[in-house]
Amino acid sequence: ENKDEDVLFEVRAQYSKHVEIDPEDAPGKKGWKKFAKGPLRLQRHKENGKCRMLMRDSIGKFMLNLPITHGMKFNGRRGQGKASDRGYITFTSAKNESEMELYMLT
């Protein structure tokens, strides 16, 4: 754990990213690719107040480490209690200065 940051929220989640599915057979076609599953934490730095979203695997390797910035838009839907009808949150994050990436948390 990082002693310079406070954990604001923690929940078990899985993250997916909207990526190109098969660049050779269907160039430009995108879909959701599942990545890590585990504890998702929202943390805030004690001195500078910057926040980030953090997920590690069972051995401590970073699976997701994204800054939470002003202007990020989060959209979601609450689940109905059935495993087949889980809620989700989608959001975008800057990949670099000119590209954005679309993520989903379930």
Side-chain angles (χ1 to χ4, degrees):
E1 289 302 310
N2 189 339
K3 292 184 180 10
D4 295 332
E5 294 180 326
D6 291 322
V7 176
L8 303 176
F9 182 75
E10 182 174 345
V11 66
R12 185 157 177 78
Q14 178 168 9
Y15 94 87
S16 303
K17 194 175 352 177
H18 204 243
V19 296
E20 197 166 1
I21 297 173
D22 190 356
E24 292 179 12
D25 291 340
K29 185 174 180 183
K30 291 191 170 193
W32 291 105
K33 181 177 178 183
K34 292 181 180 180
F35 285 91
K37 182 186 277 188
L40 173 76
R41 294 184 179 107
L42 299 181
Q43 298 182 187
R44 180 174 51 215
H45 195 274
K46 291 178 181 178
E47 291 183 20
N48 63 25
K50 291 184 179 181
C51 295
R52 66 180 175 146
M53 193 177 309
L54 178 68
M55 183 182 282
R56 294 178 189 251
D57 65 9
S58 60
I59 59 171
K61 180 181 172 188
F62 284 110
M63 301 306 292
L64 183 69
N65 186 7
L66 297 172
I68 298 174
T69 59
H70 291 282
M72 284 180 80
K73 293 190 188 303
F74 292 84
N75 298 302
R77 185 179 70 81
R78 183 176 292 207
Q80 301 301 316
K82 301 176 195 169
S84 62
D85 191 24
R86 295 174 24 189
Y88 62 87
I89 295 171
T90 58
F91 64 95
T92 56
S93 180
K95 180 177 181 177
N96 54 44
E97 289 183 16
S98 61
E99 290 182 89
M100 301 294 285
E101 292 183 305
L102 180 60
Y103 291 87
M104 178 168 52
L105 299 173
T106 54

